Amino acid sequence: MRWEDVLRDAQRDKFGNMVGKALFPYFQTDIEVACEPEVTPEYASRSLAWLGELGGERMKEICRYASFYLQDQLECTSVGELLDEGVQDLKGPLDILEYMGFHTLDIENPEDPELPVLNLGGWCDWQEDEGLQCLIKDWKVLYLGTWNDCSVWQSHYLNDDQYLSNYVLYERRAELQAKAAERLKSSPPEPFPHLEIPMSSPIRKFVEFKLALTEQCSSKEAWTRFENTLLFEFMRDYPKLAEESFDFLYRCFCIERDEGGADMAGFLAEQRDYLFTDT
């Protein structure tokens, strides 16, 4: 089987991923597909077949979790002032699809090629900057929440302590919050790193979401790996850099870790001409 038989406009990107377009049958629209370098055309074809099996009942489940995400944002932020009034008064479970959707499918190197999995990325009106991610394994929705570049083969984001970010756990939030409070009584947390950085800061989000998830470590360990890097200094000195995509920043982190700070600085100077000129 050739890649051209699986994806339209199939080509390798600069990271070695095979990318292209395919039909998302449920929506009868195209979706961008990215396959990790070790994925074969045969496995990609199987993944697209699973995408084709994503039907109404599973989509209703996804929409239910998305509605929890929306409701949480409406209650905790002022985003509702910027949204269409209809988003606050949805009549049916699928009505939320007017305000969200999926446009990417990441096909990862499979740990079990027989197990149906889908890693979907998308958008939502109530969180335009951070987007949406949905992970499905063996036809069970495991994660629905902000885009965190999660792997469908990871499991730590299903832990009870993820109840604030994974809306699959939303209906158990009060129970899990109470359990977390009990754990804190018996084991008070250590001082959190870099409290001088606001919780809403892009730097904190990059470290505690992207870096911790990708490196499969705790937030504290992620800070330990990041706090003495040249990239950390640059992100504090150049606000535009801190607003770059998590994928770009993680690539910079990896270059500095593997090749050194000078190579990372050179890469940044080539890729982003606003650096080292803004004050």
Side-chain angles (χ1 to χ4, degrees), residues 1 9 12 66 78 83 85 99 113 116 122-123 134 138 161 163 170 201 209 222 246 251 257 264 274:
M1 180 178 288
D9 304 326
R12 292 281 178 189
S78 59
L83 297 177
E85 291 184 3
Y99 306 97
W123 58 273
C134 178
D138 201 17
D161 60 2
Y163 64 89
Y170 182 83
S201 166
F209 286 95
F246 285 177
R251 187 179 182 197
R257 180 192 62 196
M264 187 276 294
Y274 63 74

Side-chain angles (χ1 to χ4, degrees), residues 115-240:
L115 192 67
V117 297
L118 293 170
N119 185 340
L120 294 165
W123 58 273
C124 55
D125 285 352
W126 60 89
Q127 193 62 275
E128 291 182 338
D129 293 337
E130 298 185 13
L132 191 69
Q133 186 170 17
C134 178
L135 302 180
I136 299 171
K137 182 186 291 184
D138 201 17
W139 299 116
K140 179 181 179 181
V141 181
L142 301 182
Y143 173 87
L144 191 290
T146 186
W147 173 262
N148 280 327
D149 199 20
C150 303
S151 167
V152 74
W153 300 108
Q154 295 173 350
S155 59
H156 59 274
Y157 51 81
L158 302 176
N159 294 342
D160 286 355
D161 60 2
Q162 300 297 311
Y163 64 89
L164 290 176
S165 58
N166 185 359
Y167 288 89
V168 172
L169 303 174
Y170 182 83
E171 291 174 301
R172 298 178 56 211
R173 182 174 284 190
E175 168 201 344
L176 298 177
Q177 193 171 32
K179 288 182 178 180
E182 287 299 318
R183 289 196 300 270
L184 288 176
K185 286 181 182 180
S186 58
S187 180
E190 299 180 18
F192 204 75
H194 294 284
L195 289 176
E196 77 281 4
I197 299 176
M199 295 301 294
S200 60
S201 166
I203 298 176
R204 184 171 291 282
K205 290 182 179 179
F206 168 69
V207 175
E208 295 171 17
F209 286 95
K210 173 66 176 182
L211 193 59
L213 286 166
T214 307
E215 298 283 305
Q216 298 190 43
C217 63
S218 66
S219 296
K220 181 180 178 182
E221 176 60 25
W223 275 111
T224 299
R225 300 181 189 187
F226 186 69
E227 61 187 350
N228 294 317
T229 63
L230 186 60
L231 178 60
F232 184 24
E233 294 182 25
F234 284 170
M235 288 176 69
R236 287 187 294 187
D237 292 342
Y238 301 96
K240 284 186 179 180

Side-chain angles (χ1 to χ4, degrees), residues 33-47:
V33 181
C35 306
E36 289 187 346
E38 297 181 9
V39 169
T40 65
E42 290 75 14
Y43 182 71
S45 178
R46 181 178 296 178
S47 296

Side-chain angles (χ1 to χ4, degrees), residues 243-262:
E243 295 173 0
E244 290 283 356
S245 73
F246 285 177
D247 286 342
F248 178 78
L249 293 171
Y250 183 66
R251 187 179 182 197
C252 294
F253 171 82
C254 291
I255 291 174
E256 180 170 359
R257 180 192 62 196
D258 299 336
E259 303 173 28

